[in-house]
Amino acid sequence: MRRADLKAVGEVRRALRELLRHRCRPDTADVAELLVTELVTNALVHTDQGAEVSASVRADRLRVEVRDFNPQRIHPYVPSADDGTHGRGLLLVEALADAWGVDPLALGRGKVVWFELDAAGAHM
């Protein structure tokens, strides 16, 4: 995905929904779609080199990773009342994910922002 290609966010959501259709509870899939939307949008808006997305369901955990090519660290941002809806993505990830983090890639080649959700009760 390239920065200018924000329509790719919807494509990522649909692909994740299809992956999770028979692997997770519907409420887990809904949260995963929301969080991947936030992370992919952040990656596309704040970098010029696009992003890569991967997702896996193992045992009772869903893990989604969004790799971008900007080594700058990210931190949750507490928006002011004047920001509208801007800046709330990482706060949503922090609030809704069971675990999340940012892993820098070697040699300053970017980072991976990831989240995990409990997928217990999945239809596997």
Side-chain angles (χ1 to χ4, degrees):
M1 292 176 284
R2 303 309 292 175
R3 177 182 176 170
D5 194 10
L6 288 176
K7 68 182 178 199
V9 175
E11 295 168 11
V12 168
R13 283 178 63 103
R14 283 187 291 281
L16 184 62
R17 183 181 315 126
E18 184 61 27
L19 172 71
L20 300 180
R21 187 164 50 122
H22 297 295
R23 293 177 176 90
C24 292
R25 297 181 320 262
D27 58 323
T28 300
D30 291 344
V31 170
E33 283 185 53
L34 173 63
L35 299 185
V36 78
T37 297
E38 296 298 334
L39 294 185
V40 170
T41 300
N42 281 350
L44 295 177
V45 168
H46 297 293
T47 71
D48 289 323
Q49 293 111 357
E52 297 174 358
V53 179
S54 65
S56 61
V57 181
R58 293 191 179 127
D60 62 350
R61 291 305 260 191
L62 163 65
R63 183 177 176 102
V64 176
E65 298 180 349
V66 178
R67 177 184 182 211
D68 68 42
F69 302 92
N70 182 341
Q72 183 178 358
R73 293 281 298 184
I74 61 168
H75 305 283
Y77 164 76
V78 179
S80 70
D82 296 336
D83 287 339
T85 60
H86 172 74
R88 289 176 168 74
L90 287 180
L91 292 176
L92 284 171
V93 174
E94 189 173 56
L96 297 175
D98 294 312
W100 80 281
V102 181
D103 299 331
L105 298 174
L107 304 171
R109 291 189 176 138
K111 63 188 166 295
V112 174
V113 183
W114 57 269
F115 67 85
E116 292 182 349
L117 296 173
D118 179 11
H123 310 296
M124 289 195 211

